Amino acid sequence: MSLSARPPAPSRSDTLLDAAIHVVGTDGMRALTHRAVDAAAGLPTGSTSNLFRTREALLRAMVVRMIDTEVDGWTRLAGTAPVPTTPDALADTLASMVATLTGELRTLTVARYSLFMEAARDRDLQAEMGRGAARVAAVGHQWLTAAGSPDPAAHTALLMAHLDGAVVQRLAFPDAPPASDDVAAGLRTLLGALVPAPLTPPTGSAAPG
């Protein structure tokens, strides 16, 4: 199940917002104009400004669209893929997601981090980003609980911070040798420290009767 899977036939508004996300993810925040979004969407000039009068309105709608797209993918993945029940399985699942976010969904991910920086100066965007993070954290909480975490809430926050770092590293250095960016190994180390290993009886001990 791909994180990029989404319902078909987006509305005109969603088409424009997806085009705006593509503009930011490809050319950066400075390239974001109503006219650039019209062109990226293949729609007549004025289409974007008719729905989103100001740049601020466009930014807020972009954040909502981006979060809905990502969270929908994560939620459906959590509902269809087997829940990882060990730290190693969870590490492999998350490493695969990092590969998707920095490969197939690279443009969306670059746009997301660009909007993160924009949110540093805009409290409304911060609030939207916070709501999106809480929705993703709910999935992480579910998986960490299944993997045996004794404190899923705290560990979810640590894990999300680690994943952000891993994603940014891969985005910034896409041509780095794999040995210098072993995401799965890093996740196993982190999860191994957070999730206690199951207790095993000493060798040679008698089985309980």
Side-chain angles (χ1 to χ4, degrees), residues 9-125:
S11 67
R12 187 181 185 87
S13 174
D14 286 344
T15 295
L16 288 166
L17 293 173
D18 288 342
I21 291 168
H22 179 80
V23 168
V24 171
T26 303
D27 299 319
M29 290 297 301
R30 291 185 179 181
L32 182 66
T33 65
H34 289 81
R35 188 179 293 272
V37 175
D38 292 337
L43 293 173
T45 299
S47 297
T48 304
S49 60
N50 283 340
L51 289 175
F52 309 103
R53 295 290 184 182
T54 65
R55 192 173 190 271
E56 288 71 24
L58 178 60
L59 283 172
R60 287 172 179 76
M62 285 171 62
V63 169
V64 173
R65 172 63 174 169
M66 180 186 66
I67 290 170
D68 286 346
T69 299
E70 284 196 335
V71 173
D72 180 65
W74 282 78
T75 303
R76 284 187 286 132
L77 179 61
T80 57
V83 175
T85 56
T86 66
D88 282 354
L90 180 55
D92 289 341
T93 297
L94 294 174
S96 176
M97 290 181 174
V98 169
T100 299
L101 290 169
T102 57
E104 177 187 350
L105 299 183
R106 178 182 174 84
T107 299
L108 174 66
T109 306
V110 170
R112 175 158 62 91
Y113 284 104
S114 298
L115 288 165
F116 274 179
M117 299 311 297
E118 195 73 15
R121 298 180 292 272
D122 187 318
R123 289 192 177 276
D124 288 337
L125 291 184

